[in-house]
Amino acid sequence: NFDMMIDCGEGTYLRWQKAGYKWKNLKYILITHMHPDHTGGLIPFLFYRKLFSIEHTLTLIGPPQLETFITDGFQNSGLSNDQNYSWIDISQNPELNLQAGVKIRTMKMKHKIPCWGYRIEDSSKSLVFITDTLATSNAVELAQNSDVLIHEATFTHDMREKAVEHFHTTNIQAMEIADKARVKRLVLTHFSPRLSDG
């Protein structure tokens, strides 16, 4: 049994620690795209991992720039990057077989910068995670017949023009994707702070 993290925004380490997760169980970090609200917690997170001298290999899966982003982050902070990391560039490896019969499939979404959705499954369950994208047929294809679809709903449907402008999905569009893909359960996420700050 192992843990997997998808994206790593600001404050991830503190929330992760508070939730009682264990370093020894964390085997994979999956990154959807390189925007700071999805990667801002990575360098601090890996810094604590180094501080606690965690030995086992951590596999980082994500966009082609991910390795350089982390290597530069360590170098610019004056830290030696001497931990056991392995890197998988999902633009080159859209389908992966992980340990314990877990499979990952990725498809490209439509955002301002390259962004991928993830489908994670084993013999009994499938979970799909899609964020920061316009409503796209790739989302429907990736989520087909999945048990759980976690999909962004940054804007409410009355703000759909804004959603298009910022390359995001509305709550209604996410529901339509879930319907077309015949998913068993839809979880909406990534709500815009604009909705409460107005």
Side-chain angles (χ1 to χ4, degrees), residues 47-106:
F47 167 71
Y48 284 109
R49 187 176 187 272
K50 181 181 166 59
L51 215 60
F52 295 120
S53 309
I54 306 304
E55 300 284 309
H56 71 264
T57 302
L58 179 63
T59 302
L60 292 116
I61 301 171
Q65 306 85 343
L66 184 60
E67 186 173 356
T68 314
F69 171 78
I70 290 170
T71 309
D72 288 355
F74 266 72
Q75 205 175 344
N76 296 335
S77 314
L79 302 164
S80 58
N81 189 0
D82 51 7
Q83 293 224 268
N84 292 324
Y85 296 126
S86 72
W87 307 92
I88 297 174
D89 171 356
I90 46 175
S91 68
Q92 304 299 314
N93 302 279
E95 302 206 4
L96 303 167
N97 291 316
L98 309 184
Q99 61 202 77
V102 174
K103 290 183 172 141
I104 286 185
R105 184 171 162 227
T106 66

Side-chain angles (χ1 to χ4, degrees), residues 40-41 43 53 62 70 74 94 96 99 103 105 119 125 147 151-152 165 182 187 191:
I43 302 295
S53 309
I70 290 170
F74 266 72
L96 303 167
Q99 61 202 77
K103 290 183 172 141
R105 184 171 162 227
R119 182 184 183 105
K125 281 263 187 263
D147 292 296
H151 199 293
E152 70 126 312
E165 195 187 320
R182 294 194 289 279
V187 178
F191 304 110

